Amino acid sequence: MKRPAVGPSRRVSRPVLCAVIALTMLGGGELAADAGSVFAWGDNEYGQLGDGTTTPRDQAVSTGVANSVSIAGGRHHVLSLQPDGSLRAWGWNAMGQLGDGTFTDRSSAATPALDSISAVGAGHYHSLAIRGGQPYSWGRNHIGQLGLGDLTNRSQPTLVGGINDAVAIAGGREHSLVLRTDGTLVAWGNNTNGQIGDGTTTRRTTPVTVGGISSVTAVVGGRVHSVALRSDGTVWTWGDNAYGQLGDGSFVDRSTPAPVPGLTNIAKIAAFGFHTLALDDSGQVWSWGRNSYGQLGAGTTTNRSTPAIVPGLTAVTIGSGRDYTLAATATGDIWAWGRNDEGQLGDGTQTNRRNPVLVETIPGTSQLVGGRDYVAARLGDDSPPPPPPPTLTCSATVLGADLVLAWPDGLGRAVIRRNGSWLVTPGNVTTWTIAGTAQDDGDYLVRFRIDGVRTDVPCDRDAPPPPPPPPPPPPGAFCTATVVGADVVLNWETAAPKTAVRRNGSFLTMVRNTDTYTVADGAGASYAVRVYEGQTRTEYGCG
C-alpha cells in the first residue's frame, strides 16, 4: 500500500506488550511488563539494550530492569534510577560513563557506587546524578563536561562542588546543565557555540550561572545546544543554531537564553542531536531544527528554523535520539521517525522515515530516550501516588430520640434514601440527623456518585460511627525548619521513598529516601513536607 505523503503511518501488526500481565515477546518468551519495567531496541554493539547480549533488536526486549523511576540515555549507554535511590547502568563504558569503577562495557545492568539519588541525566559520553541536592558526574571529561575543574575522565561518581540545591540535571554532547530549587540554571563544559548560556563562548570546567532566565521547570541538552521549559509554558533555547534548532527563525548561534516565538502551553521538551521537540498540554508534538533524515516528521528533509506541529499525533510523552524522534500515546502506541540506519526506529527495517510510523504498543509508556542508534522505553506513572480511596461505610447511631447517619469524608454530594425512596439531599456533608426516628426500623442508605458511577452505601445500625479524621500535627511535631544563615534546613522523622517539599503552600521539589533537605536562601518562608508511603500521602508542617 502506498504510504501517505504526510501524517503517521501504521506498520504491520506487532505484539502488544501488556503492562499488567506476562506477555509473549521475541522467540516466544515471556516478560513481565509491570510499571517501572524498561524495554529497548535498536543497535546493541556495546550492550546498550541491556538484555545480556550484543545482538541488535528490531523489536522491544526487556532490559531486565524493574521498578525504574526514571531513565536517561547517552550515545551508547543507559542509566536507570531505582526507587531506593540506587542506580543501574549498562552499555558502552570506554570513558567510565557507567560509573562502576571500570572501563568495561556492560550488556546487563551494573550498579555504580552512589546511593540516595533523586535525579539522573546523561551526556553523550558522561553521566550525571543528584544526591542530597548536590550534583555528581563521571565519564568523559576531555573538555570539562564533568565540572570538576580538570580534564580527567572519571570511572566513578564524583561530587561537583558549590551546589547544594539541585533538583534536575541534564547533559549535552560535551556540556552539563543543572536546575536549582529557585528555578535558575547553572552549566559547565564545552561552550564553543554558547551552549552554556553565560553570554560567552569560553569553556567552563566548573559551574557558572546561565544568564537571563528564571522560573525554569525542566532543562535538556541537545548535541551543542540547550533547551529550558519555564513555568509559564514557554520554551527558551541557546547555543548552536546551524540547523535552526533554536527555533527563532534564524541560523545564528546565541550565547544567552531567549524564548522560542509562538510556543505556549508547553508541557515537555526533548533534544539529543541537532533538532528540538516540544509537547504541548493538548498533546500536540512540535519539532524544529535539522531534518536530514526526516526527524521533524514533516514528510520532507528540509531543515526548519521555527516550530511546526507533527501532523496526526496526540501524545503523552516524547523523546529524541541523534537524528530520530519518538512519541507515545495514552494507549501506549509508540511512534518513531527519522534516521533508521541501525534499525533504531524499531519498525523492522533500516529505512529512514520522514513521517511517524507505529513501531510498538507498550501500554503505560511514560518515558522514551534515544542515543545514536537505540531506544529505551520506561513504563510507569511519573506523578505521585494518589491518596487511597475513601472507605465506603455508613453508620446509623441512636442519639436520644434521633437517628444520626455518618459516613467518611471525601465521598462528595450525598443523597439519603429510606426504604428505597428519596428522603433528603444534604449535599457535601459527612453526617445527618433525622429527628425523632430513634425507634424507626426503616432501611437507610446514602447514595454518592463516585468517578461518574452511582454508588449506594447501606447504613449499618450496628456499625460504630467513623472516627473523626485526626487533626494535623502541630508544626514541628514531625518536621523542623532550622534557619542557618540565609538557608533553611528541613529535618523530618521518616526517610520515605518519596517526600514532596512545599514552600508557602506550593510544590518546591521531590526528594527520595532522605529525611533532610536544605533550601538555599530560603529564610522567611513557611515549609511543609508531604510524605508518600505506599498509597498513603500525609502532609506535615515544619515548625
Side-chain angles (χ1 to χ4, degrees):
M1 182 177 70
K2 184 178 180 180
R3 191 174 303 281
V6 297
S9 302
R10 288 190 173 268
R11 50 169 297 201
V12 296
S13 176
R14 294 286 296 273
V16 175
L17 310 190
C18 178
V20 178
I21 60 174
L23 50 103
T24 301
M25 295 279 294
L26 292 176
E30 290 190 350
L31 297 171
D34 298 321
S37 298
V38 179
F39 292 88
W41 60 90
D43 187 49
N44 200 21
E45 179 179 358
Y46 304 98
Q48 60 263 44
L49 302 190
D51 66 344
T53 77
T54 54
T55 303
R57 307 288 186 177
D58 69 354
Q59 292 183 336
V61 294
S62 174
T63 64
V65 172
N67 302 314
S68 176
V69 174
S70 179
I71 56 175
R75 182 179 174 93
H76 297 296
H77 74 290
V78 182
L79 307 171
S80 172
L81 174 61
Q82 300 303 115
D84 62 358
S86 65
L87 195 62
R88 303 290 183 269
W90 60 94
W92 197 32
N93 198 27
M95 312 291 179
Q97 57 264 50
L98 300 189
D100 64 352
T102 77
F103 297 92
T104 302
D105 299 346
R106 305 288 184 185
S107 62
S108 56
T111 303
L114 188 65
D115 57 15
S116 302
I117 300 169
S118 61
V120 64
H124 280 209
Y125 310 102
H126 68 291
S127 300
L128 303 158
I130 297 173
R131 179 178 186 261
Q134 298 178 307
Y136 285 73
S137 62
W138 60 98
R140 193 179 193 187
N141 195 33
H142 70 298
I143 203 161
Q145 57 264 54
L146 299 189
L148 304 174
D150 59 37
L151 304 180
T152 303
N153 295 349
R154 302 291 201 281
S155 63
Q156 291 183 313
T158 305
L159 176 66
V160 179
I163 303 168
N164 64 3
D165 60 348
V167 294
I169 197 162
R173 185 176 192 268
E174 296 165 344
H175 71 291
S176 303
L177 302 143
V178 165
L179 172 61
R180 308 182 74 170
T181 56
D182 62 0
T184 62
L185 298 170
V186 294
W188 60 87
N190 194 358
N191 199 24
T192 53
N193 297 86
Q195 60 264 45
I196 298 300
D198 66 345
T200 77
T201 54
T202 302
R203 180 180 69 189
R204 305 294 185 180
T205 61
T206 56
V208 296
T209 299
V210 177
I213 190 170
S214 60
S215 301
V216 176
T217 59
V219 64
V220 298
R223 185 177 172 91
V224 201
H225 74 292
S226 303
V227 188
L229 176 63
R230 295 187 68 210
S231 59
D232 61 1
T234 60
V235 176
W236 293 53
T237 56
W238 60 100
D240 178 36
N241 200 25
Y243 301 95
Q245 60 262 50
L246 300 190
D248 62 357
S250 79
F251 296 91
V252 178
D253 295 354
R254 190 169 55 238
S255 62
T256 55
V260 177
L263 271 187
T264 58
N265 301 317
I266 299 302
K268 293 185 178 182
I269 51 176
F272 187 91
F274 298 104
H275 69 294
T276 310
L277 305 166
L279 178 68
D280 68 27
D281 57 12
S282 68
Q284 295 184 115
V285 180
W286 298 75
S287 64
W288 61 98
R290 190 182 187 188
N291 197 30
S292 304
Y293 300 92
Q295 57 262 49
L296 300 189
T300 74
T301 54
T302 303
N303 299 337
R304 191 167 56 224
S305 63
T306 57
I309 294 172
V310 178
L313 280 181
T314 301
V316 296
T317 194
I318 53 176
S320 178
R322 165 73 184 270
D323 294 303
Y324 54 100
T325 303
L326 310 158
T329 70
T331 59
D333 286 346
I334 299 176
W335 299 80
W337 58 98
R339 190 173 186 175
N340 199 26
D341 59 325
E342 299 289 347
Q344 56 263 51
L345 299 190
D347 67 347
T349 77
Q350 291 183 322
T351 302
N352 298 337
R353 303 294 186 182
R354 300 179 183 181
N355 299 295
V357 292
L358 178 63
V359 297
E360 292 287 355
T361 298
I362 311 179
T365 299
S366 63
Q367 191 179 5
L368 295 163
V369 301
R372 163 59 180 83
D373 44 25
Y374 71 91
V375 174
R378 181 179 66 86
L379 280 64
D381 185 2
D382 293 326
S383 62
T391 304
L392 299 179
T393 60
C394 175
S395 64
T397 306
V398 174
L399 185 62
D402 303 332
L403 189 67
V404 179
L405 307 182
W407 52 91
D409 192 13
L411 298 178
R413 178 175 175 268
V415 176
I416 297 174
R417 298 174 65 85
R418 177 184 180 276
N419 294 336
S421 299
W422 175 86
L423 179 66
V424 66
T425 303
N428 291 304
V429 297
T430 60
T431 185
W432 191 258
T433 299
I434 306 174
T437 58
Q439 305 305 315
D440 182 6
D441 61 357
D443 293 324
Y444 289 88
L445 63 80
V446 186
R447 175 171 291 173
F448 306 96
R449 186 166 291 276
I450 300 174
D451 295 330
V453 178
R454 190 178 70 185
T455 304
D456 290 341
V457 182
C459 296
D460 185 355
R461 290 178 181 268
D462 297 323
F478 182 88
C479 175
T480 60
T482 305
V483 177
V484 180
D487 302 337
V488 175
V489 179
L490 306 179
N491 292 282
W492 53 93
E493 293 181 6
T494 303
K498 288 184 179 181
T499 301
V501 179
R502 299 173 65 82
R503 177 170 58 190
N504 295 334
S506 300
F507 174 83
L508 177 62
T509 188
M510 182 75 75
V511 296
R512 302 175 188 275
N513 302 298
T514 183
D515 57 5
T516 185
Y517 184 76
T518 299
V519 184
D521 299 322
S526 62
Y527 293 91
V529 291
R530 182 173 290 175
V531 178
Y532 297 88
E533 295 182 286
Q535 295 296 309
T536 302
R537 178 180 66 184
T538 309
E539 185 166 321
Y540 303 94
C542 299

